[in-house]
Amino acid sequence: MISPSSCMAAFCDLFSLFCFIQLSVVSFLEASDVGFTVDLLHRDSRLSPFHNPSHTHLDRIHNALNRSISRTIQSQVSSASGEYLMKLSIGTPPVSILGIADTGSDLTWTQCKPCVECFKQISPLFDPRKSRTFKPLACTSPPCLDIGQDGSYCSSKKSCRYILSYGDSSKSLGEVAFETFTFGSTSGKAISIPNVTFGCGHENRFAFKQTASGVIGLGGGKSSIVRQLDKHIKGKFSYCLVHVYKDPSATSKINFGSNAVVSGPGVVSTPLIIEDLYYLKLEGVSVGHERLPYKTSKAGTVQRGNILIDSGTTLTYLPTKFYQSLESALKEAIGSEREPAPDPQGTLSLCYKNGGDLNVPTIRFHFTGADVDLQSSSTFIQVQDDMVCFAMIPSDHAAIFGNLSQMNFLIGYDLVGKKLSFKPTDCSRPQPQPQE
């Protein structure tokens, strides 16, 4: 989801953290270096509160593709809908909220009472008047200024207010405050974090109804949770996304701090260009033994990179002319005896019937310093019982390395070292982690 503070358009999703808060709480005031891991649920997982049992496997794929397309055609990528959700608690006593975990947003916000305009959500609205740790911020406070001129303003009472607008007509407006956030973890211990800057939304609208209670910002800006926890997690987080369309009951993971270190055999790393969003430098893509130099009409720079990485965008988007070269190379590698078929949904460009015996060549993304081989199950996805389609499409709005391409990699973000690491991993299996 593109950060509204940077371009007034939102950018996709990241994950659903289902944290079951225990009575045992570890305060960040007690530790200077903390590592913890929480579960992530894709919105189409059987364990998700938004799982619709009446939808077929193919229905879910089509819905995800449509959400991905709608984000991109608005204004670059511009939806607050989200693919992954995150459950945590805020306030004292703690109140559970369900938010879109988003690497493309900074300020975390949730719907609050009193509500002038609110969308329907599963959990009760947060009432700041019932929390002992809710502290409204003044407009001159550093956390308010960190949100930036595009996202914050001063009320008539000199209190800090925020307004976030998204390209799909979603919005949130409310007050900025400090609050205690509590994360559950897979260790059974809850992690309590005091004085987290967040937005208490009193006027909110979501284009996609009943998706969550707000957005949890994991972006690169100063007001994101990752940046706010930097002293304790040392700027490190990682995630491992399972292929939810292969195993709808599987659970993904997100790691913070010492648990987020990506190391060992098979790890490759590339420079991470951090703005409010996360950029990489793509140098080329290989189809089998043929390497295609990456070209885009929008000049990438060392400072900005030339492709976004985002866990909430389903598809991978590539510049139109480069995509056409890639598709031609794929057709040639697959062979002329297999005739492409049109996608019945009109969403994807390259499809084949009877895809079970399709000879899919290795597709390798050449990032600066890191060659990443994608799995065939991530490059071609089933859209009908007898049809598979290439999970990348042309777009001149934004180049995005989407979550289908990221599945079954442990992907580590190091905001201090400014690098991003890939490690091929079976994300459906428990991963060894440091003791929390």
Side-chain angles (χ1 to χ4, degrees), residues 91-321:
T92 307
V95 175
S96 178
I97 68 168
L98 184 64
I100 294 167
D102 184 14
T103 51
S105 291
D106 292 329
L107 183 67
T108 293
W109 62 268
T110 189
Q111 297 198 115
C112 290
K113 291 183 178 180
C115 195
V116 176
E117 178 186 6
C118 282
F119 51 86
K120 186 177 180 180
Q121 66 179 55
I122 293 176
S123 57
L125 293 176
F126 177 67
D127 189 346
R129 295 167 296 188
K130 295 182 179 180
S131 173
R132 299 192 299 272
T133 47
F134 182 84
K135 303 172 188 175
L137 296 179
C139 330
T140 54
S141 64
C144 184
L145 298 176
D146 285 345
I147 298 172
Q149 293 181 348
D150 290 338
S152 66
Y153 66 98
C154 225
S155 73
S156 58
K157 297 181 180 180
K158 304 300 180 183
S159 63
C160 184
R161 308 282 292 182
Y162 77 94
I163 179 168
L164 302 178
S165 299
Y166 302 87
D168 61 0
S169 80
S170 298
K171 71 167 188 177
S172 181
L173 184 152
E175 59 188 320
V176 182
F178 277 151
E179 188 53 282
T180 295
F181 277 39
T182 304
F183 293 84
S185 77
T186 55
S187 70
K189 294 179 180 179
I191 307 297
S192 181
I193 311 161
N195 298 325
V196 176
T197 304
F198 87 114
C200 204
H202 301 294
E203 298 180 47
N204 316 288
R205 182 187 304 127
F206 255 7
F208 290 85
K209 306 300 182 183
Q210 298 180 335
T211 51
S213 56
V215 171
I216 297 170
L218 298 167
K222 291 182 179 180
S223 58
S224 79
I225 283 183
V226 175
R227 288 295 196 186
Q228 292 189 63
L229 303 189
D230 186 64
K231 178 181 177 181
H232 307 286
I233 67 172
K234 311 301 182 186
K236 293 181 176 64
F237 72 96
S238 65
Y239 53 80
C240 204
L241 304 180
V242 298
H243 204 310
V244 70
Y245 299 112
K246 294 290 184 181
D247 184 357
S249 296
T251 302
S252 299
K253 304 288 182 184
I254 182 171
N255 314 290
F256 295 92
S258 57
N259 283 28
V261 175
V262 179
S263 61
V267 174
V268 294
S269 300
T270 186
L272 180 64
I273 297 93
I274 306 168
E275 296 186 358
D276 287 338
L277 306 173
Y278 299 116
Y279 290 87
L280 305 176
K281 190 66 177 291
L282 181 62
E283 297 177 350
V285 177
S286 289
V287 177
H289 298 294
E290 182 181 0
R291 176 164 172 161
L292 306 172
Y294 182 68
K295 295 179 181 178
T296 173
S297 58
K298 296 182 179 180
T301 65
V302 174
Q303 290 74 28
R304 184 167 182 180
N306 55 21
I307 188 167
L308 292 163
I309 178 168
D310 179 73
S311 63
T313 298
T314 302
L315 299 170
T316 287
Y317 293 83
L318 297 169
T320 299
K321 288 186 178 179

